[in-house]
Amino acid sequence: MINVPHKILLVFLSIILFTGCKDDDSDNNADDPKAENRRSLGTSAEELLSDDTFKSMTVELVYAPNYRPKQESIDSFKDFILARVNKPDGVTFIETEISNQPNAPFTIEEIRNIEDLNRTQYTVGDDIAVYVFFSNGSSENDTSTSVTLGTAYQNTSMVVYERTLQQITLDEPEILPILESTTLHHEFGHLFGLVNIQEDDIHPGGDHEDLDHLKHCIIEDCLMYFEANNVTRIMERARSRAQVADLDPLCIADLQAKGGK
Ligand SMILES: [Zn+2]
Ligand SMILES: [Zn+2]
């Protein structure tokens, strides 16, 4: 029996702006089939959104037994992606079941190592691949007052702390899909470059970037609002309207400027 303090947790979704560069021997990139998928967060925004370079996308969901997200969350994630990307040859979801990964809670380095060992889909030809790990352990950054729900940490890589999501919804399992979907959509928004992650926002100076919470949106109802991730807020949304926050028009305009829909 695991005791988690819930409902009062200040929960945040985090982003990692720069990769650890442990594979920073870029001269060898031409020979490394994984190099395309080992760049900094936000650098593949245009590649993910437009059909200029990549005509299709493969999204790999990786999880240990008992940590597969709800089917409705997967469906909602698909809808979210399809609504934004121009991929004439389609978006394919692949699921890979792995064993429980040891040494939880995980540092982001450990999350990267899990990816190295278990990711099977890499960008090849005109298909761009995205990796999503549904973690069987929490983030090592969690404290008694805050937990991390998800992190976008590389150009095509993100983690959802599924075990944490399951724990904080133990009393209200009907809210789990809203938490899963919000985390998936919000972190993919960071892969799309939101907000102003590579400082190439079409809005001058990233004028809808929240300067108190960088790389997030100032519009309160927006998916990319930093508090879109506050558990109390998500749960209130879930109870009242049972829906995940959408992107506001400014964020959508940024995506369209990079070839999205
Ligand atoms: Zn965020
Ligand atoms: Zn926004």
Side-chain angles (χ1 to χ4, degrees):
M1 176 74 187
I2 296 145
N3 245 327
V4 280
H6 52 287
K7 289 182 184 146
I8 49 158
L9 296 178
L10 176 67
V11 175
F12 56 91
L13 305 172
S14 58
I15 55 175
I16 303 282
L17 287 183
F18 303 102
T19 59
C21 297
K22 67 185 159 110
D23 301 300
D24 203 17
D25 47 345
S26 37
D27 291 346
N28 297 333
N29 277 359
D31 302 326
D32 180 0
K34 300 180 177 181
E36 277 294 315
N37 299 96
R38 284 183 169 160
R39 290 155 33 200
S40 321
L41 182 63
T43 57
S44 283
E46 197 158 350
E47 297 169 344
L48 291 165
L49 288 158
S50 81
D51 62 355
D52 289 347
T53 311
F54 299 104
K55 309 295 183 201
S56 62
M57 182 190 298
T58 298
V59 179
E60 182 179 24
L61 311 179
V62 177
Y63 48 79
N66 302 325
Y67 295 98
R68 182 182 191 266
K70 296 289 183 190
Q71 186 60 45
E72 64 186 285
S73 304
I74 295 174
D75 294 343
S76 160
F77 189 35
K78 262 184 209 168
D79 290 344
F80 172 77
I81 294 171
L82 286 170
R84 302 271 71 96
V85 303
N86 271 306
K87 295 299 172 202
D89 294 342
V91 176
T92 305
F93 272 51
I94 288 180
E95 298 186 28
T96 303
E97 189 171 301
I98 61 175
S99 58
N100 264 318
Q101 300 299 296
N103 303 321
F106 300 122
T107 64
I108 204 68
E109 252 334 290
E110 288 169 324
I111 292 292
R112 288 180 201 281
N113 289 339
I114 291 169
E115 175 178 355
D116 267 353
L117 293 171
N118 295 290
R119 179 172 182 162
T120 70
Q121 303 297 312
Y122 289 89
T123 295
V124 62
D126 61 3
D127 184 72
I128 186 165
V130 175
Y131 163 91
V132 185
F133 175 49
F134 296 87
S135 177
N136 58 276
S138 59
S139 163
E140 187 142 290
N141 293 329
D142 289 359
T143 68
S144 58
T145 54
S146 79
V147 294
T148 304
L149 301 184
T151 302
Y153 59 93
Q154 217 157 240
N155 63 323
T156 62
S157 308
M158 56 193 249
V159 54
V160 172
Y161 292 97
E162 182 68 24
R163 184 170 189 274
T164 303
L165 296 181
Q166 291 181 4
Q167 285 186 336
I168 62 179
T169 55
L170 277 180
D171 293 343
E172 294 178 280
E174 70 278 7
I175 289 179
L176 177 59
I178 302 286
L179 284 169
E180 288 175 341
S181 298
T182 302
T183 307
L184 284 164
H185 299 191
H186 181 95
E187 296 307 332
F188 211 96
H190 287 316
L191 298 188
F192 281 153
L194 294 172
V195 172
N196 205 26
I197 285 183
Q198 287 295 323
E199 312 208 326
D200 56 357
D201 216 329
I202 54 163
H203 299 97
D207 69 359
H208 64 112
E209 183 177 6
D210 182 344
L211 296 180
D212 293 327
H213 307 278
L214 291 178
K215 313 308 173 193
H216 290 91
C217 183
I218 52 170
I219 308 295
E220 274 194 43
D221 285 337
C222 180
L223 173 68
M224 301 314 291
Y225 187 64
F226 87 103
E227 266 219 329
N229 40 37
N230 180 298
V231 139
T232 310
R233 185 183 161 100
I234 299 172
M235 287 187 166
E236 276 165 14
R237 266 183 178 275
R239 290 189 198 104
S240 59
R241 291 190 291 163
Q243 75 179 38
V244 179
D246 288 322
L247 292 167
D248 79 296
L250 292 167
C251 279
I252 289 177
D254 285 332
L255 302 191
Q256 289 172 339
K258 291 178 178 170
K261 290 199 279 198

